[in-house]
Amino acid sequence: MAVTVKASLGKEKYYTQVIAGENTLITDEPVDKGGQNKGFNPFEILATSLASCTAATLRMYIDRKEWDVEKIDVEVELENFPLTKLAVFKRNISFEGTNLDEEKMKRLRTIADACPIHKILTNEIEIQTKFS
């Protein structure tokens, strides 16, 4: 499955419009980095991808199993260590309105790791760049 997004940045420092199909979002940099903090910064977008994909993947599985789970909360903290070329994603998942037993929780951990973004981030990544 291929996905295409287009980011456009004019002269307003770091205020970037990102378009994917019919959807648009704004990214920006924090004020201390010269931006205006009008949108998510790129690191937040990356963490958002993992958090939202995890939540959706869990919801699909929970609904298929017909388990009664009112709400899924996924919090992702991303720490980047450029000098060591290490990025650490800390993912905390909780469920509201339910009392899941240990067996179900174990299964949900496996399902969370099966989220497509998790798989991408834990696989080898290749970036091909072309200027036109």
Side-chain angles (χ1 to χ4, degrees):
M1 171 179 133
V3 173
T4 302
V5 301
K6 180 181 179 182
S8 298
L9 172 62
K11 291 187 177 187
E12 186 177 352
K13 272 198 173 174
Y14 314 124
Y15 181 87
T16 307
Q17 183 180 43
V18 182
I19 299 171
E22 297 178 15
N23 299 301
T24 302
L25 63 87
I26 300 302
T27 66
D28 201 351
E29 291 291 338
V31 174
D32 66 341
K33 299 243 190 279
Q36 298 177 56
N37 202 33
K38 290 183 176 179
F40 289 99
N41 71 49
F43 293 98
E44 291 167 334
I45 292 290
L46 184 58
T48 297
S49 294
L50 180 59
S52 62
C53 183
T54 300
T57 301
L58 288 168
R59 174 54 68 194
M60 287 177 206
Y61 183 81
I62 288 167
D63 288 351
R64 192 168 51 248
K65 291 293 186 176
E66 298 181 350
W67 295 345
D68 187 23
V69 176
E70 191 167 315
K71 187 176 178 186
I72 303 163
D73 293 307
V74 181
E75 181 178 76
V76 173
E77 177 185 337
L78 168 57
E79 286 187 275
N80 186 39
F81 304 96
L83 294 178
T84 59
K85 297 184 179 181
L86 174 68
V88 178
F89 290 84
K90 296 176 184 173
R91 183 172 57 178
N92 183 33
I93 303 169
S94 59
F95 303 93
E96 294 181 28
T98 190
N99 190 9
L100 297 167
D101 63 33
E102 190 175 319
E103 186 67 30
K104 287 179 180 175
M105 292 295 279
K106 183 178 177 184
R107 183 67 185 136
L108 290 173
R109 177 178 300 277
T110 301
I111 297 302
D113 289 349
C115 131
I117 298 298
H118 182 277
K119 288 179 178 179
I120 287 171
L121 292 172
T122 56
N123 286 340
E124 186 174 334
I125 296 173
E126 178 181 321
I127 299 173
Q128 301 174 354
T129 303
K130 175 182 135 183
F131 286 89
S132 55

